[in-house]
Each structure stands twice: as structure tokens, then as C-alpha cells.
Amino acid sequence: MKILDKYLVKQFLQTIFFGLIAFTLLFIVIDMMENLDDFIDQSVSAPVILHYYFVFAPDIIKLMTPVSVLFGALFTVGKVSNLSELTAIKASGVSVYRFMAPFIITSLIISLFSIYFSGYLVPMANKTKLNIELNYLKKGYVYTGGNIFFQDTPTRIVNISFFDNSNNQANRVSIQEFEKDDLTHMISRIDAARMMYDSLDNIWVAYNGIKRNFNKKVETADYFSQIKLDYLHFRPNDLNTKQQKPQEMNLSELKSLLKSEEKSGLDPTNTLIEYYSRFSFSMASIIVVIFGLPISANKRRGGLAIQVGINILVTFIYLVFMQISLAFGKNGVLNPLLTAWFANLVFLAGAIVSLPRVKQ
């Protein structure tokens, strides 16, 4: 690494750090003003409030990282250009592409780290944040163990009124089976007071219930004190996962959820979009830098104000493309993978077109 590279990387990282701090504090202040009444009404203590915003910060940092990286690149290159340092660098025989290399490599490293950060650290922080909202702000979130309703297979629906994680017991359980060729026709139904998971045999056992069979116009009912349900596909850990919000799930949990949805015959489109978006949004940093660097490489009037304006404009355009692609993807118009990467592909195409036009 040459002295010039160290100088540019240092200026770049300092600006990114400043941008992240500024944007994070701005979001926290705005959110605090919105929740101030709730904090006061619920008599939330100062340590809990500090803890809340401590675990809220990672989600803000994830969202603001591409914006801060773009701001850092535009500001650093704009500053170098306006002070005629870029002219001197070119005169020394350094091409514009070689000049951009430190920014692109640094952005790539940030993007790769962002995959882990947004894929694992942010969901972990979001779980704590949602737990604080539930217990202290009384936001009204449904407890993950209550009122669980899901599809176990394409022909089987399971309803659990309450699940006790401590002893793997489901209370007030209903299991409905439907005919494969006619999903409007129920062929059997089990209603039980409780259902326990036998970890030795890896099966569910229902207690104190009734099993009804519907055959044409004939209905039979058999009461039981205990019955083994070895055909159920879900496990105790799956019950918590099924009720988690996507922002609480890490990449491994999202992948498990996808397998569960595919096995159950559910439409995995929204989960696929969320899964692919974790990668695409993490890579947005390097994409917007490649797109934005040619814009700042040429000396222009306005200085810092112009760089900030360009940063806001590019960010706005990027978010617009992202929301448009999400709307089409969730409606089934676009493939989930294309939906997640659409904005990045558009900006990458724009960068490929603009890069050859940069003045050497």
C-alpha cells in the first residue's frame, strides 16, 4: 500500500465513521421524541432506555452504512478534486481507475463484513429490542408461544393456543387433515387438551382428546387419553421460529424457515426476498461507490454542498428502485432473487456506462 492509498483510505474511513455517528444519533433523537410519551407513561427507567437504544443502534447502522459509505466516497473524492489534489495525482501518472482502487477495495471489505453484521448481529439485537418493547413499552406484540397457527404439510393445519417452552408442552391443540385432491374437504381432526414432545423417540404425544374421522356422510369420534402422533413434521424449536418476525431471524434461521415453508407447501416468496435482501443490501456499499465515484471525480463548483446534495439524490433514487422492485417481487411479478438485487443491478449498469467517460 502506497502513501497515497493510506491517505485516501484514512480520509475515507474517517468520513464514513462521522457519517454513521451523525445519522445514528439523528435517528435515535427522532425515535426518542416519538417514544418519549410511552417511556414516561410506562415509567421506564433510564438504564432500560439506554439499553433500548443501544440494541436499536445496530439496525440503524445497517440501514445507514451504504449511505455513509457513499457520503464518505463522494466527500473525500470531491474534496481531493476541489483542492486540485486529483489534478496533481493525475499529473504524477496515476490513472483515475488506480485512484479509485482504495475506495473500491475498502468498500468491498465493508460490504463483506456487513453480510455478517446484518445477517447475525442485527437480528440478535432486534430480538432484545422487541423484548424491551413488549415488557416495558407494552407495544402489544403477540407472545411467540401463544396462538400459533401454521401449515405442517400441504394437507395438514395445526393450531396451538399456547406453547410452554420450559417443558415442550402445547396446550389446547387442534390438528386438521384435508383431502389432497379437495382441500375444502376435511378428512380428520384431532382436538387435545395438551401435547408433549417425547425427545427420546422424537415424536409428539397428545393427551385427553378426541379424534374425528369424516368419511363421505359418516362421522366417527374416538376419545383417547393418549395417542402418538409420529407423522408430525415440526419440532419444539420450530414453533418459536414460526412466530418470529423476519427482522429477528439470522441467516441460518431464515434458511431453516425456507425449508419448513417448502415442506409445508407454503409460498416462500416473502422469506426468499428477505433472505436474498440481506446479501444484496450488504453489497450496496460497493455498488453505490462504484456508481458515485465517477460523479465526484470531476472538479465542480459548490464544494461540500454539492457532494451532500448528490449523496441525498443518489440515496433517494436507490431507495425508490428498491421499493419498486420489492412491490413487484411480493406480487409475484419478479423472481425473488432479481427482486433483491434489482436496485444493485441498475446502479451497477449505470456505473459500467459512466466509468469509461471519466476524464483521465
Side-chain angles (χ1 to χ4, degrees):
M1 182 179 289
K2 296 183 179 180
I3 295 176
L4 176 61
D5 296 327
K6 293 181 179 179
Y7 169 73
L8 293 174
V9 170
K10 181 180 178 181
Q11 295 295 318
F12 185 34
L13 290 177
Q14 284 178 344
T15 310
I16 292 173
F17 180 76
F18 169 78
L20 279 176
I21 293 296
F23 289 130
T24 302
L25 289 176
L26 178 62
F27 269 75
I28 287 177
V29 169
I30 293 174
D31 187 83
M32 186 177 292
M33 292 300 101
E34 291 181 354
N35 289 324
L36 187 59
D37 291 341
D38 293 330
F39 290 135
I40 295 174
D41 293 341
Q42 301 298 331
S43 301
V44 183
S45 63
V48 173
I49 296 175
L50 290 176
H51 187 203
Y52 175 80
Y53 284 108
F54 178 77
V55 294
F56 186 26
D59 198 27
I60 301 173
I61 292 173
K62 180 197 74 173
L63 294 173
M64 290 295 105
T65 294
V67 180
S68 300
V69 170
L70 177 60
F71 174 75
L74 295 181
F75 179 82
T76 304
V77 176
K79 179 182 176 182
V80 170
S81 179
N82 289 328
L83 293 177
S84 299
E85 293 177 349
L86 183 56
T87 303
I89 292 171
K90 290 179 180 179
S92 66
V94 178
S95 68
V96 175
Y97 299 131
R98 176 61 184 83
F99 168 76
M100 293 179 179
F103 297 96
I104 295 175
I105 293 172
T106 304
S107 301
L108 178 60
I109 294 172
I110 292 173
S111 294
L112 294 176
F113 174 75
S114 294
I115 294 176
Y116 174 77
F117 183 77
S118 63
Y120 292 93
L121 297 183
V122 172
M124 183 171 59
N126 282 339
K127 288 179 182 178
T128 306
K129 172 177 172 285
L130 292 171
N131 186 56
I132 293 174
E133 290 179 343
L134 171 65
N135 292 308
Y136 292 95
L137 297 180
K138 312 300 180 184
K139 288 286 188 176
Y141 287 96
V142 177
Y143 176 64
T144 56
N147 196 26
I148 303 173
F149 185 84
F150 62 94
Q151 188 172 339
D152 186 41
T153 68
T155 60
R156 182 184 304 131
I157 293 177
V158 179
N159 182 31
I160 299 173
S161 296
F162 179 78
F163 180 68
D164 188 350
N165 311 25
S166 60
N167 56 12
N168 291 336
Q169 177 173 298
N171 298 295
R172 288 181 297 184
V173 181
S174 174
I175 302 171
Q176 304 169 21
E177 295 279 356
F178 294 84
E179 191 174 320
K180 184 177 181 180
D181 297 328
D182 183 8
L183 295 177
T184 63
H185 179 220
M186 184 185 299
I187 57 177
S188 70
R189 171 170 174 152
I190 294 177
D191 292 286
R194 60 190 180 94
M195 184 171 69
M196 298 280 292
Y197 187 72
D198 186 345
S199 57
L200 294 178
D201 295 331
N202 292 323
I203 61 172
W204 289 97
V205 180
Y207 299 90
N208 302 326
I210 180 173
K211 181 177 181 180
R212 295 183 177 89
N213 293 299
F214 306 95
N215 183 14
K216 302 290 184 179
K217 298 180 181 180
V218 180
E219 175 183 345
T220 61
D222 299 312
Y223 291 88
F224 60 85
S225 58
Q226 177 180 325
I227 185 173
K228 293 183 178 181
L229 307 174
D230 55 357
Y231 50 84
L232 297 180
H233 293 150
F234 62 93
R235 299 293 179 263
N237 289 337
D238 297 331
L239 295 177
N240 290 325
T241 302
K242 289 177 185 297
Q243 295 302 300
Q244 277 186 320
K245 299 177 184 296
Q247 60 265 33
E248 298 177 68
M249 296 184 182
N250 58 38
L251 289 174
S252 300
E253 290 169 339
L254 279 174
K255 200 168 184 179
S256 298
L257 179 61
L258 282 171
K259 292 179 180 179
S260 175
E261 289 179 341
E262 290 173 354
K263 184 186 296 183
S264 302
L266 299 174
D267 183 8
T269 299
N270 289 340
T271 308
L272 277 171
I273 292 174
E274 175 67 24
Y275 181 76
Y276 291 137
S277 294
R278 297 281 178 93
F279 294 94
S280 64
F281 193 77
S282 297
M283 299 305 294
S285 295
I286 188 172
I287 299 295
V288 295
V289 164
I290 296 174
F291 179 84
L293 281 178
I295 299 176
S296 291
N298 298 322
K299 187 176 180 179
R300 55 172 54 85
R301 296 177 181 178
L304 178 61
I306 290 296
Q307 304 309 324
V308 173
I310 292 174
N311 181 71
I312 294 174
L313 178 62
V314 172
T315 303
F316 176 76
I317 296 173
Y318 179 84
L319 292 176
V320 167
F321 273 104
M322 179 180 291
Q323 292 303 316
I324 291 174
S325 63
L326 286 176
F328 280 108
K330 290 180 178 179
N331 288 327
V333 178
L334 290 179
N335 176 274
L337 181 61
L338 180 60
T339 298
W341 284 89
F342 181 75
N344 286 354
L345 293 175
V346 170
F347 272 67
L348 184 60
I352 294 173
V353 172
S354 61
L355 273 174
R357 302 179 182 180
V358 178
K359 296 180 180 179
Q360 298 294 325

